[in-house]
Amino acid sequence: MQSAGEDVEAGGPTVALMAQWADASARSLMTDAVPVRLLGALHDCVLSGDAPSLAAAYPAEGRSGDTEAAWREARKLIEAVPDRLIDFMGHEPQTNEVRRSACLIGGFLTVAKETGLPLRCFEMGASAGLNQLWDRFRYVLGSQATWGAADASVSIETDWHGLPPPVDADVQVVERAACDRKPVDLTEPMARRRLRAFVWADQIDRIVRLEAAIALSQAEGSAVECSDAVAWASSRATPADGAATILYHSVFWQYMPPESQAALRAVIKSHGDAASKSAPFAWVRMEPPPDDLANMELRLTLWPGGDERLLARVHPHGASVNWLDAGTV
Ligand SMILES: C[S@@+](CC[C@H](N)C(=O)[O-])C[C@H]1O[C@@H](n2cnc3c(N)ncnc32)[C@H](O)[C@@H]1O
């Protein structure tokens, strides 16, 4: 990115990629995540197999990358196929971070343990919907606990601090669904590759987990409904007798305008008010506090009652969890 920035300042070929943002302020370049778009576009060329010289300079399993060689090759590619890169850069960066399930699971287990009921799980802002399958993954939660089938195809390790979550809870997911205003359609090869391309190329473990979760999702045929969260949560996540209904999300709240946040809060409160002991309703979310976007919290509000609890402080990609909750059971 340093070299690409210098290339723009020197009037080099990278300028052509920036035409869409010719009049943009520095702030809107960052809001639009233009650096992420450019690195994603180059990574996409690597993943496609169409840029072997660039791929040779990129990191791979057991090999770190060579940034100087990568920039030399990237610059040649920018000169050779600018339209391909411009086209990729027109896509809003979208990721789906599977290891966030290592954070969310603490909320799901707590609801299962405290209600003693099967779970209905509804995810908003699900992107490709990979975290819908949270109960099919294997978790190694530091040295404190493990959860899930030992032979699961998706394995997630995280540094866990504090008490373990209630891993002895009886977990049965009887219904699951997800929505996104722009779902990533995993049946489309280009959409799958774009999802991979937006992961930093040197974070091989994230890419491996993503691949495994995509394969699992395809095998399960799981899907994400195209809908705005407010209308979807209102109609789909109503409490139902004999199960605990969980509405959850991760790294989603900040993308909604304040009026949608207020509308969604009203929907959640109305579902909470309708909840009962035999039809409880839970709101589980992994989001940053408003004043600190770099750190994340896992919070649970459980109705009837509606008490809000800070369950954990967590790493934005789920690399670590600092569990704070002492439980109520
Ligand atoms: C940063 S991504 C997080 C994806 C996923 N939850 C995860 O943790 O990997 C945020 C997602 O929220 C979706 N989103 C933003 N506003 C939305 C809305 N009003 N309704 C539904 N989805 C929305 C975006 O399309 C995007 O897929």
Side-chain angles (χ1 to χ4, degrees):
M1 280 318 304
Q2 176 75 32
S3 300
E6 287 165 7
D7 194 56
V8 170
E9 280 172 2
T14 312
V15 172
L17 306 186
M18 304 296 291
Q20 306 174 63
W21 294 277
D23 302 319
S25 63
R27 188 184 171 82
S28 58
L29 287 177
M30 295 319 285
T31 311
D32 275 3
V34 176
V36 180
R37 291 177 192 236
L38 173 52
L39 288 177
L42 293 169
H43 194 195
D44 181 67
C45 291
V46 167
L47 294 171
S48 70
D50 298 339
S53 309
L54 182 62
Y58 261 54
E61 194 95 56
R63 186 190 78 206
S64 53
D66 175 344
T67 44
E68 284 181 19
W71 170 245
R72 271 197 307 278
E73 294 303 327
R75 196 172 186 281
K76 284 186 211 162
L77 205 63
I78 294 168
E79 278 182 309
V81 289
D83 290 347
R84 174 178 175 158
L85 298 167
I86 289 167
D87 180 56
F88 186 100
M89 288 174 71
H91 291 279
E92 201 177 301
Q94 207 173 1
T95 54
N96 196 183
E97 198 54 49
V98 178
R99 192 152 58 171
R100 289 189 183 135
S101 279
C103 310
L104 293 166
I105 192 178
F108 303 144
L109 292 174
T110 302
V111 175
K113 178 83 180 175
E114 295 183 7
T115 64
L117 289 169
L119 306 178
R120 300 169 68 229
C121 298
F122 296 92
E123 181 178 11
M124 301 182 288
S127 183
L130 298 174
N131 289 328
Q132 278 185 96
L133 299 172
W134 64 270
D135 59 324
R136 309 282 165 84
F137 304 160
R138 168 76 171 173
Y139 299 86
V140 178
L141 308 176
S143 57
Q144 279 87 333
T146 57
W147 193 88
D151 62 351
S153 59
V154 178
S155 176
I156 299 183
E157 283 186 34
T158 192
D159 286 336
W160 192 278
H161 305 275
L163 292 171
V167 282
D168 60 336
D170 186 13
V171 173
Q172 200 197 347
V173 178
V174 290
E175 188 178 347
R176 71 186 83 220
C179 83
D180 198 284
R181 66 175 172 171
K182 284 189 189 166
V184 175
D185 180 358
L186 292 176
T187 63
E188 287 205 13
M190 295 302 287
R192 289 201 296 275
R193 202 170 76 208
R194 199 176 311 125
L195 199 59
R196 295 178 184 115
F198 279 128
V199 178
W200 303 122
D202 61 343
Q203 298 188 338
I204 309 290
D205 62 322
R206 283 178 69 200
I207 296 175
V208 168
R209 253 192 320 271
L210 179 65
E211 302 276 4
I214 289 173
L216 178 65
S217 170
Q218 290 188 294
E220 297 285 330
S222 55
V224 177
E225 295 164 38
C226 182
S227 174
D228 184 76
V230 180
W232 188 82
S234 172
S235 63
R236 296 297 306 272
T238 46
D241 223 37
T245 300
I246 303 179
L247 186 65
Y248 71 98
H249 51 89
S250 58
V251 197
F252 146 80
W253 195 260
Q254 72 207 69
Y255 298 99
M256 286 196 307
E259 55 279 14
S260 298
Q261 293 179 351
L264 196 46
R265 274 189 192 283
V267 166
I268 290 166
K269 181 169 182 317
S270 132
H271 289 343
D273 289 345
S276 64
K277 202 159 185 325
S278 62
F281 179 73
W283 180 25
V284 172
R285 64 271 192 202
M286 171 187 169
E287 297 289 343
D291 51 346
D292 180 7
L293 291 182
N295 290 298
M296 303 264 165
E297 298 175 339
L298 179 71
R299 288 185 177 267
L300 165 67
T301 313
L302 184 57
W303 289 267
D307 288 339
E308 176 173 334
R309 284 143 70 180
L310 172 61
L311 296 181
R313 293 189 201 285
V314 301
H315 177 274
H317 286 160
S320 63
V321 175
N322 188 4
W323 188 256
L324 303 168
D325 196 61
T328 58
V329 171

